[in-house]
């Protein structure tokens, strides 16, 4: 049984988005549990991708391929996991801030977080502070994650945190920020709970904040 999990993890690391869903389906047909397939196969593979990415032995295009394989494999499990009421380890609301259309990095962060077993509600890009606030009320996340790629849109992270405070919701959520023009000092200055340097780092940070 552990052999099929190892094969799944390897397919994720290799970023094989054709064979991953096929093997997930085979595992299901063999009667394996959806959560075991997720935890011991897909997430194990994605964890290794995070380690290799952080260590510099995997690069962005490969990580994106792994993320796609992970996504396609997970799609088959999603309905089963929902039915089985498997408890995800936390919920994160993710968006690129107002005025900013860059979403490749933010989507990658979301996929890495899904790979860590988190439920991700992806609000897309150009997300106004008010939309973050409304989404917190609707989805009740544990963490709000904001991305910005432009020096001109970084300030909307602070505006969003302020809007969350003014709505009386700041104590309900942790806030993490990331994006190429930011650093940890900026995150602290605007009152965020953490800053993620890259996708793996962001996912790890979310896990730490939930622990
Ligand atoms: Co634009 N762009 N762009 N662009 N673009 C940059 C960001 C830029 C650095 C290019 C340059 O001048 N060298 C520059 C910004 C300069 C600045 O402000 N410092 C720039 C500019 C100026 C612009 C426009 C203003 C250009 C123009 O129109 N004159 C315009 C702005 C549009 C707007 O947003 N309103 C614009 C438009 C675009 C496109 C739409 C064409 C396209 C975006 C498409 C898309 O995202 N769907 C685009 C692209 C692709 C880029 C570059 C080339 C690549 C960005 C990217 O996807 N990187 C970029 C130059 C560059 O970065 N080399 C550039 C790959 C991605 C995986 O990395 O996004 O850094 P990244 O995400 C990382 C980390 O930052 C981190 O983890 C991710 C994965 O490791 N991270 C988080 C990100 N969010 C996180 C959140 C977290 C944690 C970690 O927790 C919540």
């Amino acid at each position: 049984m552990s052999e099929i999990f190892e094969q799944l993890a390897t397919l994720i690391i290799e970023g094989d988005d054709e064979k991953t869903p096929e093997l997930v389906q085979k595992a299901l047909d063999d009667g394996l549990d959806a959560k075991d397939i997720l935890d011991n196969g897909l997430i194990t593979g994605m964890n290794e991708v995070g380690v290799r990415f952080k260590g510099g032995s995997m690069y962005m295009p490969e990580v994106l391929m792994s993320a796609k394989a992970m996504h396609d494999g997970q799609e088959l499990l999603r309905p089963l996991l929902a039915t089985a009421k498997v408890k995800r380890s936390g919920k994160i609301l993710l968006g690129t801030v107002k005025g900013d259309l860059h979403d490749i990095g933010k989507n990658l962060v979301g996929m890495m977080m899904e790979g860590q077993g988190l439920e991700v509600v992806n609000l897309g890009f150009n997300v106004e502070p008010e939309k973050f606030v409304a989404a917190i009320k609707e989805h009740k996340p544990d963490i709000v994650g904001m991305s910005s790629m432009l020096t001109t849109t970084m300030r909307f992270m602070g505006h969003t945190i302020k809007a969350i405070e003014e709505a009386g919701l700041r104590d309900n959520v942790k806030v993490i920020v990331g994006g190429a023009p930011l650093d940890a000092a900026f995150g602290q200055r605007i009152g965020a709970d953490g800053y993620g340097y890259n996708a793996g780092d962001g996912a790890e940070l979310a896990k730490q904040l939930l622990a």
Side-chain angles (χ1 to χ4, degrees):
M1 191 202 287
S2 66
E3 200 182 314
I4 200 162
F5 294 144
E6 274 172 34
Q7 286 170 352
L8 274 169
T10 304
L11 288 174
I12 294 294
I13 295 164
E14 290 171 352
D16 194 324
D17 65 352
E18 265 181 41
K19 290 197 185 133
T20 301
E22 282 171 17
L23 195 59
V24 168
Q25 190 56 57
K26 182 177 181 315
L28 288 171
D29 293 344
D30 288 352
L32 296 183
D33 181 67
K35 182 154 168 36
D36 285 343
I37 296 169
L38 180 69
D39 287 345
N40 302 327
L42 305 185
I43 291 182
T44 301
M46 209 58 188
N47 282 341
E48 180 57 24
V49 170
V51 169
R52 293 187 188 188
F53 181 48
K54 202 171 181 178
S57 64
M58 264 181 95
Y59 295 97
M60 195 58 66
E62 296 162 306
V63 177
L64 284 169
M65 284 167 69
S66 294
K68 172 78 166 54
M70 173 87 197
H71 178 264
D72 290 0
Q74 251 186 316
E75 280 307 299
L76 290 168
L77 301 176
R78 209 182 284 273
L80 294 166
L81 292 173
T83 313
K85 291 199 170 56
V86 171
K87 192 157 172 19
R88 303 289 258 168
S89 50
K91 191 191 276 187
I92 176 143
L93 201 64
L94 206 55
T96 303
V97 293
K98 179 178 172 180
D100 202 322
L101 306 179
H102 297 86
D103 69 351
I104 296 170
K106 181 262 300 166
N107 289 343
L108 187 57
V109 174
M111 287 181 195
M112 293 297 275
M113 286 174 168
E114 284 188 343
Q116 296 281 4
L118 298 171
E119 181 184 347
V120 175
V121 179
N122 193 334
L123 298 178
F125 52 80
N126 189 22
V127 182
E128 308 250 347
E130 301 73 29
K131 191 169 171 196
F132 273 107
V133 169
I136 294 171
K137 287 180 185 164
E138 183 186 348
H139 297 285
K140 301 187 175 34
D142 303 290
I143 298 177
V144 174
M146 286 185 273
S147 179
S148 161
M149 283 297 289
L150 298 170
T151 42
T152 49
T153 57
M154 284 162 63
R155 65 200 159 103
F156 291 116
M157 294 184 151
H159 292 195
T160 303
I161 292 178
K162 215 163 184 193
I164 295 171
E165 278 167 6
E166 283 169 6
L169 297 168
R170 185 64 183 92
D171 291 340
N172 301 6
V173 291
K174 300 280 184 197
V175 177
I176 65 174
V177 294
L182 330 182
D183 58 18
F186 173 79
Q188 271 182 353
R189 240 183 359 259
I190 61 168
D193 298 297
Y195 156 77
Y197 170 69
N198 61 25
D201 200 33
E204 212 170 286
L205 174 66
K207 246 176 65 179
Q208 278 168 14
L209 287 171
L210 287 164

